[in-house]
Amino acid sequence: DYDETLSTLKFAQSVKLVQTKVVANQVNGKGLEAQLRREIEELQQELSKVKEQSDPAMQEKVQRRLEEQEQLCRFWNKDWDTLLAEERRRMQRRFSQDSAMVQKVQELVNLGAVPSIAVSALLPRRESAQFP
């Protein structure tokens, strides 16, 4: 027991000597946007080459990749305020849907004067289930 305690104290002492340095990661949005635009240009060139070869499967594949890249570019080209406003609208829609669901559940609970009837309306129907 003494050896274990001594070992723990030595470990604690060594951990005390560890020094860390915090560095914030920085994302360069303009660099990302430029990279996406370059990829779009490359995909457009590749698509034009594939169209000349008239390979429909390859054309579709390159067209799909091009559309995905353009969508990413449109997303990352937005400023912070626009993204925040979109997220707030999504949250508002979710909240209104949740509120509507709560209201429906409350209406179901208030259906009958007997609570077991209201609860049975919420539960999945089973042939073997017996409600008083």
Side-chain angles (χ1 to χ4, degrees):
D1 200 30
Y2 172 79
D3 292 332
E4 191 174 318
T5 302
L6 185 60
S7 173
T8 303
L9 290 173
K10 286 181 180 179
F11 175 74
Q13 183 66 29
S14 68
V15 169
K16 212 179 198 185
L17 300 174
V18 172
Q19 295 181 357
T20 59
K21 181 180 176 184
V22 178
V23 177
N25 290 336
Q26 296 180 352
V27 176
N28 184 357
K30 296 208 183 290
L32 181 62
E33 181 184 344
Q35 179 185 355
L36 288 171
R37 290 195 187 279
R38 277 193 308 274
E39 289 178 17
I40 287 173
E41 289 173 10
E42 290 170 6
L43 286 170
Q44 287 173 339
Q45 291 172 357
E46 187 178 339
L47 182 60
S48 64
K49 290 178 185 176
V50 169
K51 283 183 178 178
E52 292 171 3
Q53 297 171 357
S54 67
D55 181 8
M58 190 64 163
Q59 284 180 11
E60 184 179 334
K61 181 180 175 183
V62 173
Q63 183 67 37
R64 194 170 45 247
R65 285 180 51 207
L66 178 62
E67 289 168 1
E68 289 171 0
Q69 289 300 103
E70 287 174 341
Q71 185 178 9
L72 278 173
C73 194
R74 282 191 301 272
F75 177 78
W76 287 108
N77 198 22
K78 295 177 185 173
D79 63 343
W80 174 251
D81 294 328
T82 305
L83 293 172
L84 185 61
E86 287 176 0
E87 183 58 30
R88 285 187 177 149
R89 282 193 296 272
R90 277 193 294 272
M91 287 177 56
Q92 187 65 31
R93 276 196 311 272
R94 283 188 216 124
F95 179 75
S96 63
Q97 290 170 348
D98 289 348
S99 297
M101 180 65 79
V102 168
Q103 186 177 11
K104 287 179 184 178
V105 169
Q106 287 173 343
E107 290 172 4
L108 286 173
V109 169
N110 295 330
L111 278 177
V114 181
S116 61
I117 294 173
V119 171
S120 67
L122 296 174
L123 297 174
R125 297 187 185 265
R126 296 185 191 150
E127 293 181 22
S128 62
Q130 298 291 326
F131 295 103

